[in-house]
Every structure is written in structure tokens, then in C-alpha cells.
Amino acid sequence: MHIVVVGAGISGLSSAWALAKRGHQVTLIEQGTIPNPLSASGDHHRIIRRAYGAATGYANTITEAYDAWDELWDDLGRSHLDPRGFLCVSREEGDEAETYLEGMKAGGYPVEMFDGAEAARRYPFLEAQSVRFGFSSKDGGALHCKLIASDMAGWLRGSGVNLLTETRVAAVDPAAAVVRLDTGEEIAADRIVVTAGAWVARLFPELTKDVTTYRTAVVYLEPPRDLKAAWEAAPVIVDVGGKIDGYILPPSGTGGLKFGSGLHKEKWPDADAGRNPRAGEGEQVRDLFAPPMTRLDEYRVLDVVTCAYTFTPDETFYCRPANKALIVSACSGHGYKFGAAVGRRVADAVESGDNDRLARWLRAEAA
């Protein structure tokens, strides 16, 4: 079959990779460069971790994700995973770190527990008195997004995929399986896979009843000199406790020390608008992390990166078949870690037509 994939974030790249490996003719269309710095997949590094609440099912899905990444590393000839483990910090009863701990225990995944004093001894950037407990696991790390995208683009070109970059799609006709470009050119296919992320509503406005686009931002920081070594050796931090939904990636790959918070987001209908950082936005994100981080006023803002994500109400993946098209979206900010596995599952659905099975897997309801 000839399959057109619209959007070259990690889901689009992975879908093109999996389909090409199965012998299909693939055209991949991306409105920007690869990697696209405006896309959700375009930043330096993202977290992979097994920590999820027990009820979500995603903790077990990570096993398949690791297997898919290993297959991709074999094809690329090198790995872009830094397996430095992860850390969670709890500050309040019932916070997300506690939920993650329950999920790890329910799945039988080992963790190492410690109190606030020990957390601060191990990780001197933490404030001991604000930490109820911490736990760590070796089952996580950082994925190097820019390196992954660049190497995948090279692999796809070398494997005969027609890769169209800086090419904007104006419309998709699911019934005819035709993609129309801004230039007026039309590309006919047997099937279309749409992985357009925050831009999907431009092609399918009716999806706004199911998915909502948000603007968010992360901040890159230079820590105090005496804490640099601790950060260089730190695991990724999945949650810093309390209600700020805060996560941190230490320096890894091409990325420096990065802070992000789920609190720092707002509904944003136009994914292209307002993408430049606002005055003081980096400090605003940074200061959300006090507590449990200590001496935050000594951390210097180096860069602020904005991002546009689509979210579903229950923060799961989303897919919808539309005649000869399959729309996959709404990773809800946590989807990158599953990217290679999503590509393989999308290829299964394109070949089998079993879109319900794909939807159940994307919601972590079934294997």
C-alpha cells in the first residue's frame, strides 16, 4: 500500500518507520524541519519512566515501549536513551508521587524508599524539611528527542520513504484518501495516517469536541556552581510532590537542566501563535518548584521553550478512524516515551483495519 503520514513528530516518524519496514510505500509530510522546534517532539530530551498510577495501565505498556525503542536503536545503529533512572518526591498526602508509588508496588516493580533527610543527602538540591519521602527506580531515564528525530529522518530517507519537509497540508479527504498541500498539489494514497499533534484541529475542526490544545513552556536553568555535579549525576525527576505537577530533566544528550510544570499551561486554539516566551516566563516556571527545591533564586534562566500539546479529558491517547484515514493524537503531554511502540501499533491497525484494538491499546486497556 501507499500510505501518507501527516506530521513528523515522534508518532509520525515511528509510524513511517514501522510501515516502511513492512514493505509499504510511505510518504511523510512535515510542515517544518525535522526535528521541528515548534512540535511537541522537538525539544532536546523527554522522560521515559514506568511510574504511573495503578489504574491507568500505562506502567505495563512501558515494557512494550522499551522493546520498540530497542528495535529502533538496532535500526539506527545507536541508542538515544540515557537510562539514568527516575526519582519521585512526595510532599503532601495523596499527591501524585504517592499515586506513582502505589502503581509501582501494584505492578511488583522494585523501588528504593527514603525519608526527607536521606533525600536531601543524596540530592543536595532538595530541601529536606519539605519532603515526606522519596523513592527511586532504575526503570527510567531520558530520551534524546532531537537526536532521535534526526537519525530517524536519515533512516527513512535511506529506506526509500518520500520525506517532504517544510510542506504544509491544507486539507485531508479521508473518503478519497487524498492529501491536498498548500501549493494546490494533491497526493493520492491507499491510506492516510494523521499525526499532526496540536495542528490536527486545522485539518479536522470537529475534533475540538474531543481534544483541547494548550500552550505550555519549560525553562532551562544554570544551577549554582556547587550543585552542578549533583545535577549531572541525578536521575530524571518524575514528580516533585504537592500540586504543581512538576518534573525535571538533568543535563543529558544535547539538553541542559530543564524544569516543567503541568500548572503552567493555558488553553490555546492556535498552535502557531504566542510561541515566543513572555518576559519573566522562565522565572515564573522556575519559582513553582520552591519547595522542594532549595536556593532556587540562585538558578539562572538560560532559555525558555514553548510547546503546544493536545489533551483529552482523561489525559490518554486518542485515535479516530475516518474512512481511509486514521487520526492519532492527544498524547496529553506524556506520549513521547511510547513513540516507537505507537508507530508499530499504528502499522498493525493500518494493515489489519482493527482500529478498536489500537484505541484500546492507546488507552492502556488491552495488549
Side-chain angles (χ1 to χ4, degrees):
M1 287 190 289
H2 177 210
I3 298 134
V4 171
V5 180
V6 179
I10 190 57
S11 293
L13 287 166
S14 296
S15 297
W17 162 69
L19 289 162
K21 288 192 68 172
R22 300 180 187 200
H24 298 289
Q25 179 189 353
V26 180
T27 298
L28 177 60
I29 306 173
E30 167 55 43
Q31 65 177 340
T33 58
I34 299 178
N36 182 349
L38 292 181
S39 77
S41 300
D43 202 8
H44 291 282
H45 49 2
R46 296 286 295 276
I47 291 173
I48 185 170
R49 38 83 174 184
R50 194 176 292 277
Y52 274 96
T56 68
Y58 282 115
N60 294 329
T61 309
I62 285 292
T63 299
E64 183 175 338
Y66 276 126
D67 180 73
W69 286 118
D70 285 342
E71 181 184 350
L72 179 63
W73 307 147
D74 287 344
D75 287 346
L76 298 183
R78 59 174 174 165
S79 171
H80 293 306
L81 168 64
D82 176 4
R84 57 171 60 215
F86 72 82
L87 166 68
C88 282
V89 173
S90 176
R91 294 191 290 118
E92 300 173 8
E93 186 175 351
D95 61 15
E96 196 160 40
E98 192 170 287
T99 301
Y100 290 156
L101 177 61
E102 292 169 357
M104 293 293 285
K105 289 180 175 179
Y109 304 116
V111 297
E112 184 178 3
M113 300 284 302
F114 34 83
D115 62 17
E118 178 62 15
R121 188 192 70 78
R122 295 185 183 198
Y123 310 109
F125 42 77
L126 290 174
E127 182 183 79
Q129 60 268 31
S130 66
V131 176
R132 292 174 66 218
F133 65 83
F135 72 91
S136 62
S137 166
K138 295 180 180 179
D139 205 350
L143 290 160
H144 300 153
C145 310
K146 288 184 181 291
L147 298 176
I148 290 169
S150 296
D151 276 6
M152 289 188 79
W155 185 94
L156 291 170
R157 290 189 180 97
S159 300
V161 172
N162 183 21
L163 200 53
L164 305 178
T165 58
E166 299 184 90
T167 302
R168 188 175 285 262
V169 172
V172 174
D173 183 340
V178 170
V179 171
R180 180 166 56 83
L181 306 181
D182 266 1
T183 61
E185 178 186 353
E186 293 187 345
I187 301 174
D190 297 299
R191 296 286 188 276
I192 300 170
V193 175
V194 180
T195 56
W199 291 266
V200 71
R202 287 188 177 175
L203 301 175
F204 298 93
E206 67 274 18
L207 293 189
T208 54
K209 70 180 186 300
D210 299 321
V211 301
T212 304
T213 300
Y214 287 84
R215 177 196 182 275
T216 185
V218 296
V219 61
Y220 284 89
L221 297 166
E222 181 179 11
R225 182 174 300 180
D226 61 307
L227 294 179
K228 283 186 177 182
W231 278 117
E232 291 283 350
V236 301
I237 302 179
V238 175
D239 192 76
V240 297
K243 296 179 174 61
I244 69 167
D245 191 16
Y247 60 91
I248 301 175
L249 285 102
S252 181
T254 59
L257 175 62
K258 180 171 78 173
F259 284 34
S261 167
L263 285 186
H264 189 81
K265 71 175 189 284
E266 57 191 306
K267 290 183 180 180
W268 206 257
D270 186 350
D272 287 322
R275 298 303 299 273
N276 291 326
R278 301 161 182 157
E281 190 165 17
E283 288 81 2
Q284 182 182 2
V285 176
R286 177 197 66 186
D287 293 346
L288 289 171
F289 288 76
M293 299 297 153
T294 187
R295 299 166 54 192
L296 267 184
D297 59 336
E298 299 178 45
Y299 285 66
R300 185 167 66 92
V301 173
L302 300 177
D303 194 18
V304 179
V305 177
T306 66
C307 188
Y309 288 112
T310 49
F311 282 74
T312 56
D314 60 358
E315 297 190 5
T316 61
F317 283 89
Y318 173 86
C319 74
R320 198 193 79 174
N323 292 307
K324 296 178 182 179
L326 178 63
I327 305 161
V328 180
S329 189
C331 302
S332 300
H334 70 88
Y336 193 98
K337 63 183 71 65
F338 300 105
V342 168
R344 298 196 311 192
R345 290 285 183 156
V346 167
D348 288 344
V350 169
E351 290 186 330
S352 69
D354 193 346
N355 298 311
D356 288 340
R357 186 167 187 260
L358 172 64
R360 290 194 303 272
W361 183 84
L362 288 172
R363 293 192 298 266
E365 293 174 358

